[in-house]
Amino acid sequence: QVLLVTSGGGSVQTGGSLRISCAVSGYKSSSEFCLGWFRQTPTKEYDWVGSIFTGTGSTYAADSEKGRFTISLDNARKTSHLQLHNLKPEDSAVYKCAAVETDRINSDYVCPRPILYNIWGQETPVTVSS
């Protein structure tokens, strides 16, 4: 069974940085995944922040998040990192990672489509104080 384990997050002051990591476990050695990051909105929905494909390291990001949020990959550990820079109080939210298994042929289609993600990690709170 594929599981996602997240770590990191926490509290920081305005202008600071945080990193959240998401590790995949229980996968077959031949499996590749889109690893996506999501942020909960005030209405409790999850907005897509961006994704990375483990097979190539290609990243996909929501336009609103480009520049301050960076997604990277440690593929040896099937771990994605979401680096949050220059944080603002409005970035305070619950963040989650998610995954969907795919392949190189379909990754460009799958990775930027939030509705396709079917494996979810736990909630990771981020608090930015002014």
Side-chain angles (χ1 to χ4, degrees):
Q1 181 184 4
V2 176
L3 297 174
L4 302 179
V5 178
T6 55
S7 59
S11 300
V12 68
Q13 291 188 324
T14 297
S17 298
L18 282 175
R19 189 174 83 165
I20 310 172
S21 300
C22 179
V24 187
S25 66
Y27 57 91
K28 293 181 287 187
S29 59
S30 58
S31 295
E32 301 294 352
F33 298 90
C34 295
L35 298 180
W37 290 97
F38 295 79
R39 177 168 67 176
Q40 192 175 51
T41 68
T43 56
K44 304 300 183 184
E45 297 175 338
Y46 278 93
D47 280 346
W48 177 64
V49 172
S51 300
I52 193 164
F53 178 56
T54 60
T56 60
S58 296
T59 55
Y60 311 81
D63 289 340
S64 61
E65 310 302 349
K66 288 179 180 175
R68 293 195 302 121
F69 294 174
T70 304
I71 298 173
S72 62
L73 177 69
D74 177 352
N75 205 28
R77 294 175 174 81
K78 281 289 191 287
T79 299
S80 174
H81 305 290
L82 175 64
Q83 187 74 45
L84 311 173
H85 306 281
N86 190 23
L87 284 163
K88 306 172 184 178
E90 52 264 41
D91 295 318
S92 297
V94 169
Y95 290 75
K96 269 192 171 185
C97 70
V100 54
E101 188 171 354
T102 188
D103 55 33
R104 295 189 181 208
I105 294 173
N106 295 296
S107 58
D108 283 345
Y109 178 84
V110 173
C111 288
R113 284 173 169 78
I115 198 170
L116 297 178
Y117 287 77
N118 56 6
I119 304 165
W120 289 84
Q122 68 265 40
E123 296 178 345
T124 302
V126 168
T127 303
V128 185
S129 57
S130 57

